[in-house]
Amino acid sequence: MSADERHDREQALARLERENELLRAELAEARALLAHPTASHTIHGLLTMVVQLDDEGRVVYINSATEAHIRRKRHEVYRQPLHSVDRTRLGVGYLHLLYQQSLKEGREISTEQSYPDPLSGELRFVQVTVSPLENGTQILIEDQSRFKQMEGMFKRYVSPKVIDRLLASGVDYNVPERYELTVLFADLRGFTRLCTRLAPEDVKRIIDRFLGVMTKIIIDADATVDKFVGDEVMALFGAPIRVPDHVTKALNVALAMQEAHKLVMEEWRGSGLENPPGLGVGINTGEMIVGNIGSPLRMDYTALGHEVNLAARLCSQAKAGEILIGPYSFSLARKYLENHPNAMSRSVKFRSTQEIFVKGIDAPVNPISVVAVR
């Protein structure tokens, strides 16, 4: 066998191996679809459009998502130039431009683009990646719309790493659910009265500083900032990411809030504010409805239910510098701390307080005061 014949044979074997790899990928995709018949809108791999080219820039494979997008079957474009599939909603010739750039620079090219969905009119966000391979090029068009939607929904509430965990979970957080979590309310004592003797600009400066400090503490703890109502901040623990230690996380945040607020009050005193307002915190645990709730004009991720109302009432009962928690929160915290004694950032004591009656709740409540040990 001549050298040319050996070369031709090796080239043919290499092409056959590439085609076998593509067939195996196609089979794996089909098996995934059969195993999850409704997964075409949820499995990441099936939302990704794949185009593979040989070393001459001809199409050797497109996946099902690409077929659906360009409305052509893979056998119709097999061994055709890239322009045969370069008719995506990103614009005719867009993929070819990135392909040429990748060839010229000899490296992977990645860009983010968007286009209006032809059915809904909503923007779809995609990441296009052109990667040189040993015997050709691969183009991936990955749907990032869920990430962008999740980021838009939660970026005001949680840290970026929590958003990553939300995406990995695959849960639809637009659908409200009922489950157990802990909610915290914190607000300033006597703030309304303080507002009557301050200029609006001073009120804004005080509230911005207060809410900024409290928000950072909540987000740094991987908890969720639910909402602000005037000088009140509401936070969720155990939602949207469920965690077993949601009660102790809430207690640690409450302690950090009180410590940080002492420093903020010193700042206010230094700026001439007499008798700066102290901070009261209320915490409660129980089953709540949590999710994206509202109307088509305004939706917010929040929690609703009796246990949420009780947390708000405990907050209103707490004195400046005090943390009040519900009886069930205390029970869960004590049980968790028996097995995880280092879960608290500081040593604390739990003290019973007087029975109270709170608005909207018929039965009396026996709140527990949480006191940091010096």
Side-chain angles (χ1 to χ4, degrees), residues 1-125:
M1 182 183 295
S2 68
D4 288 341
E5 289 174 329
R6 282 198 300 272
H7 176 74
D8 290 343
R9 181 180 179 182
E10 289 172 357
Q11 289 291 94
L13 289 173
R15 284 196 298 271
L16 181 61
E17 179 59 27
R18 287 201 303 271
E19 289 169 9
N20 285 338
E21 288 179 5
L22 296 173
L23 286 172
R24 285 193 289 270
E26 200 172 317
L27 179 60
E29 181 181 8
R31 285 173 174 167
L33 189 57
L34 288 172
H36 304 276
T38 62
S40 60
H41 295 290
T42 58
I43 293 181
H44 178 74
L46 296 181
L47 284 173
T48 300
M49 290 188 283
V50 180
V51 177
Q52 291 191 340
L53 311 174
D54 63 16
D55 51 10
E56 297 180 9
R58 295 176 302 186
V59 177
V60 292
Y61 174 74
I62 62 173
N63 70 343
S64 301
T66 308
E67 286 184 317
H69 188 87
I70 67 173
R71 297 183 179 180
R72 298 191 69 181
K73 296 296 183 182
R74 55 178 67 107
H75 71 268
E76 297 175 332
V77 299
Y78 184 69
R79 296 294 183 185
Q80 297 299 309
L82 176 57
H83 69 73
S84 64
V85 299
D86 198 2
R87 294 176 172 80
T88 69
R89 299 186 186 105
L90 298 173
V92 175
Y94 181 76
L95 300 183
H96 189 265
L97 287 174
L98 296 181
Y99 171 64
Q100 290 295 328
Q101 183 183 353
S102 177
L103 286 182
K104 181 179 178 180
E105 300 181 11
R107 65 179 181 89
E108 180 178 284
I109 302 294
S110 184
T111 67
E112 290 187 0
Q113 293 294 329
S114 62
Y115 62 87
D117 187 282
L119 297 177
S120 67
E122 296 180 354
L123 278 181
R124 304 291 298 179
F125 296 89

Side-chain angles (χ1 to χ4, degrees), residues 171-189:
V171 176
D172 186 355
Y173 293 95
N174 286 303
V175 180
E177 288 186 89
R178 175 191 290 269
Y179 61 91
E180 184 178 279
L181 63 143
T182 297
V183 60
L184 175 152
F185 285 87
D187 68 5
L188 299 174
R189 307 293 81 160

Side-chain angles (χ1 to χ4, degrees), residues 211-281:
L211 293 177
V213 170
M214 298 301 115
T215 297
K216 185 177 187 306
I217 292 172
I218 295 167
I219 289 180
D220 286 350
D222 293 337
T224 302
V225 178
D226 186 293
K227 64 168 65 72
F228 304 132
V229 181
D231 63 308
E232 183 177 69
V233 59
M234 174 182 173
L236 304 179
F237 300 81
I241 296 295
R242 302 189 189 192
V243 292
D245 56 341
H246 48 89
V247 179
T248 52
K249 281 183 177 291
L251 292 175
N252 281 327
V253 164
L255 292 168
M257 282 179 162
Q258 291 288 14
E259 285 301 307
H261 187 65
K262 290 177 184 177
L263 299 177
V264 173
M265 286 196 295
E266 288 302 317
E267 291 180 16
W268 290 339
R269 288 190 185 97
S271 64
L273 180 65
E274 295 181 1
N275 299 318
L279 177 67
V281 180

